[in-house]
Amino acid sequence: MIYRCNGCSKTTFETSCPGCLNSEVSPSSELDAWHLTPLDPSFYPDFQYRSKGLIKDFLGKKKEQAQLNELLSNVLRKYSELKQPYFTNFIHTTRQRRGSDEAKQSGEYTQLDLFREVLVRKGFDELEGLPSLLDKLLQTTAFNSTYRGFARELSRHIRANLADTLRSWIEEAGTTFRSDLALFYYYLWENKVVFPNVQFNPQAASTHGIPLLPLQALLNSLELCEDIYYDILVERLGSQLEHFNPNQFITMYLVDAMDGFQFEAFLVEIFRTIGYDVKETKKTGDQGADLFVNRFGKNMVIQAKNYSGAVGNSAVQQAISAKAFYGCDEAMVVTNSYYSISAKELADMAGVRLIDRIGLQSYLDDYNQKLIEVFEVEEESA
């Protein structure tokens, strides 16, 4: 089974997060050690029998495990029935900012409180006896949604051997391979992609605590990925030095010289070049949306701001309104400048992604690299 650490957001096959074990922060969650959320709810600690001592285990283990199995069966059935639309829509439309205890003390109700009551009234009464279960199910729902998008993208990179597959994936994924390597191998296992040098543990799918891959095997693979990534960077720099054309490439200074409409048009070109499906909006009456992009099966609305000063709350508010009006999964504001503190706070509260000058430079780097690759292909075919 694969787990996600709620502390560092990395995925792992271990029942304790390797990345957090060396940190000074102590675990405070009952989700196994170090806040781990299993991809499969049947691996939740709530449904695993806990030893009560030799004699009590002998007398009651079988009966209690049967009760836990029945509880698990009921929870999985109800979760499956209610996942669409309740769980999936909840993670796409809300973002918790305050704990239930704090909210209740001030006489307020959080969206999570209300959502729990919605589910209880729909017959999900297990949430009353297991108060932390809803958090875990929501985390699993979000994780599954992310994984489905990841799997669709990774399917395009499968090659005849492991090294070529890793290279194809890393060329597009960049440094995210460091946090998503366990997802990579989980995809290979789930889709029965066989490489001679990858040996999965067949008991991992049904036995709690047994990793799909030994930790050392994963660490060895991470070293291989680092070598591959280093080679990619060296090759890209060499290619850029050989083929760079200052008249063709876009710099941030050229972006600064654009007007608002030119900036929007350029963002369309940027996102299309780096692999997104893009749709522009009308220049008037757009309800705060400048363009829509689609990737990983999710729709995102983008508000473009070509400013010389700091971008304030109004841009974030426009993105929030556009996300609600058009029913998008995500919202983003992109600028060649920076954001005010209040804009950052509002965006964090509302779950709006902010791309500032530094983030836009990363997009420009990807865009210019794609131009180099196109130039190389045209040169080879000439």
Side-chain angles (χ1 to χ4, degrees):
M1 181 43 54
I2 189 169
Y3 302 83
R4 182 178 187 178
C5 178
N6 302 320
C8 66
S9 297
K10 292 183 179 179
T11 49
T12 178
F13 297 127
E14 305 296 316
T15 54
S16 295
C17 177
C20 291
L21 281 176
N22 297 324
S23 73
E24 297 179 356
V25 181
S26 299
S28 59
S29 170
E30 64 178 41
L31 295 175
D32 270 351
W34 300 101
H35 316 278
L36 294 177
T37 301
L39 181 65
D40 185 344
S42 63
F43 279 72
Y44 288 165
D46 310 70
F47 307 116
Q48 310 299 321
Y49 179 78
R50 294 181 175 86
S51 175
K52 296 179 174 61
L54 185 62
I55 296 178
K56 290 185 177 180
D57 283 353
F58 177 77
L59 296 175
K61 180 178 180 180
K62 185 175 182 180
K63 179 180 179 181
E64 185 170 335
Q65 187 61 63
Q67 293 172 339
L68 289 173
N69 291 341
E70 183 179 2
L71 177 62
L72 170 63
S73 177
N74 289 336
V75 167
L76 292 181
R77 176 179 56 81
K78 293 177 182 179
Y79 174 62
S80 177
E81 292 172 352
L82 298 174
K83 186 165 60 175
Q84 296 285 359
Y86 290 96
F87 282 90
T88 302
N89 285 354
F90 185 81
I91 64 171
H92 285 320
T93 57
T94 60
R95 185 177 180 181
Q96 281 301 113
R97 294 293 301 164
R98 305 177 62 190
S100 296
D101 292 339
E102 180 185 350
K104 288 178 181 177
Q105 288 176 4
S106 62
E108 300 175 8
Y109 296 98
T110 67
Q111 288 293 308
L112 192 63
D113 294 326
L114 298 175
F115 182 49
R116 181 180 287 106
E117 184 61 24
V118 167
L119 297 176
V120 169
R121 294 187 184 188
K122 296 290 290 186
F124 213 134
D125 49 294
E126 288 82 2
L127 295 177
E128 293 183 316
L130 296 170
S132 66
L133 182 61
L134 179 57
D135 290 325
K136 300 171 191 175
L137 290 174
L138 283 171
Q139 290 159 1
T140 297
T141 303
F143 190 15
N144 273 287
S145 177
T146 300
Y147 174 71
R148 283 195 299 271
F150 175 87
R152 282 194 297 270
E153 291 298 299
L154 183 59
S155 64
R156 302 185 292 106
H157 299 289
I158 302 300
R159 302 293 185 266
N161 58 67
L162 178 62
D164 289 345
T165 299
L166 284 170
R167 182 181 177 88
S168 178
W169 172 51
I170 293 171
E171 281 181 333
E172 181 173 291
T175 56
T176 59
F177 73 84
R178 292 169 182 154
S179 59
D180 291 342
L181 189 57
L183 280 181
F184 173 88
Y185 280 103
Y186 185 81
Y187 174 88
L188 298 186
W189 171 77
E190 185 183 52
N191 291 276
K192 298 180 174 57
V193 179
V194 178
F195 295 124
N197 47 344
V198 179
Q199 300 295 324
F200 295 114
N201 191 326
Q203 296 179 319
S206 58
T207 308
H208 180 71
I210 294 182
L212 193 61
L213 271 180
L215 179 58
Q216 190 56 52
L218 207 61
L219 293 176
N220 292 341
S221 180
L222 183 58
E223 288 185 11
L224 173 61
C225 290
E226 292 289 356
D227 291 340
I228 291 172
Y229 183 59
Y230 181 77
D231 287 341
I232 290 172
L233 293 180
V234 170
E235 292 170 8
R236 283 180 177 176
L237 178 58
S239 179
Q240 184 173 350
L241 294 174
E242 182 178 353
H243 302 298
F244 183 77
N245 180 352
N247 296 320
Q248 182 181 16
F249 282 66
I250 300 297
T251 66
M252 189 63 73
Y253 302 106
L254 290 176
V255 174
D256 292 340
M258 296 177 181
D259 62 28
F261 291 135
Q262 289 172 330
F263 184 55
E264 290 178 27
F266 179 61
L267 287 183
V268 170
E269 189 176 352
I270 283 268
F271 280 99
R272 280 179 178 159
T273 301
I274 62 179
Y276 286 81
D277 294 326
V278 184
K279 179 182 178 182
E280 295 181 78
T281 64
K282 297 178 180 179
K283 300 305 178 185
T284 57
D286 58 14
Q287 302 296 329
D290 289 325
L291 59 145
F292 301 97
V293 300
N294 182 286
R295 200 176 187 188
F296 304 127
K298 292 183 178 180
N299 294 312
M300 179 164 60
V301 60
I302 296 178
Q303 178 71 209
K305 295 296 179 184
N306 191 2
Y307 279 14
S308 58
V311 178
N313 281 12
S314 62
V316 179
Q317 291 167 346
Q318 289 170 1
I320 296 170
S321 298
K323 176 185 174 184
F325 184 83
Y326 292 105
C328 293
D329 301 312
E330 298 178 1
M332 175 191 287
V333 183
V334 182
T335 183
N336 62 321
S337 184
Y338 297 96
Y339 296 94
S340 67
I341 294 176
S342 61
K344 292 178 182 179
E345 291 174 348
L346 177 60
D348 185 48
M349 182 179 298
V352 175
R353 295 175 58 187
L354 298 182
I355 303 298
D356 63 7
R357 190 175 185 86
I358 296 174
L360 181 58
Q361 183 63 60
S362 296
Y363 282 116
L364 288 179
D365 292 342
D366 290 340
Y367 172 79
N368 288 331
Q369 179 58 40
K370 292 292 184 182
L371 291 183
I372 290 175
E373 294 170 0
V374 170
F375 179 86
E376 290 175 332
V377 171
E378 292 175 347
E379 193 175 56
E380 289 175 0
S381 60

